[in-house]
Amino acid sequence: TDKELALEFLDQLSLVYRYILDNKDKETVSLHSELESIKALLAVQETRHPGAVKINLMISNSARDFKIIPLTLHTLVENVFKHNSLSPTTPIDLNVKIQNNALLVIENDVRPKLDVQSHNIGIENLSRRYGLILNRGLNITAGQSIFRVEVPLLSNQVLGV
């Protein structure tokens, strides 16, 4: 019913899909471009679930030149919304940070939805893709209260560029 909000939602959604179409076949993308796209995805999700997720992007400008596999953050952020009960009265903390200039860490509270069954296809596929480039996949810690994924950052040296 809110026309301005609907237009903003569509603008952000179009940015998300444009990013997907432009980058889905690339081997790597800059962390900076993935973060910019994630901001649009988070704006879309905030419109759908106002106040339900508290987002903390703790990435320095110097770390934005690292490379990651396209849609890494998309997959991990979408999982937060897909697999957790969302409520503005008890928002989920979603933290995205760099650790030791080697890992991108995505961590969120766990509040499992009762009606969603996970087959972990998205994360397993992503982990295999990292394994092909680095000979190691993602480090995933699924605890009772925290879900944490450590993604190895790719540098030009690792990629042989």
Side-chain angles (χ1 to χ4, degrees):
T1 59
D2 183 334
K3 289 180 183 181
E4 284 184 37
L5 184 61
L7 286 173
E8 180 62 24
F9 179 86
L10 288 174
D11 284 345
Q12 295 300 315
L13 190 60
S14 69
L15 290 174
V16 170
Y17 282 110
R18 173 59 45 207
Y19 178 82
I20 292 169
L21 291 172
D22 288 346
N23 294 288
K24 67 181 175 57
D25 295 326
K26 292 181 180 176
E27 187 171 295
T28 65
V29 294
S30 72
L31 180 57
H32 174 74
S33 66
E34 186 91 354
L35 285 167
E36 290 304 308
S37 177
I38 284 303
K39 290 176 185 176
L41 175 63
L42 291 170
V44 167
Q45 292 293 2
E46 175 64 22
T47 301
R48 294 182 63 221
H49 309 283
V53 177
K54 195 169 80 176
I55 299 129
N56 303 302
L57 295 175
M58 300 169 278
I59 309 290
S60 69
N61 285 336
S62 63
R64 292 172 179 243
D65 290 334
F66 282 110
K67 305 282 186 202
I68 61 174
I69 290 174
L71 306 176
T72 295
L73 283 173
H74 279 255
T75 300
L76 299 172
V77 167
E78 285 174 351
N79 279 344
V80 173
F81 291 90
K82 177 181 178 185
H83 295 290
N84 290 286
S85 284
L86 304 172
S87 165
T89 56
T90 55
I92 289 178
D93 282 321
L94 168 62
N95 299 305
V96 180
K97 60 188 175 187
I98 299 291
Q99 183 176 311
N100 300 328
N101 268 344
L103 297 171
L104 176 65
V105 177
I106 299 90
E107 187 174 73
N108 62 273
D109 300 333
V110 174
R111 296 203 186 94
K113 284 183 182 176
L114 299 176
D115 61 345
V116 173
Q117 189 175 21
S118 177
H119 302 290
N120 293 324
I121 293 170
I123 289 180
E124 284 179 15
N125 192 13
L126 193 56
S127 190
R128 274 193 293 271
R129 291 173 64 199
Y130 276 92
L132 290 171
I133 294 174
L134 295 173
N135 294 322
R136 70 180 181 130
L138 306 178
N139 186 16
I140 302 165
T141 306
Q144 293 282 44
S145 60
I146 297 288
F147 186 80
R148 178 183 171 104
V149 179
E150 295 174 351
V151 178
L153 290 168
L154 308 171
S155 65
N156 287 335
Q157 293 82 12
V158 169
L159 297 170
V161 177

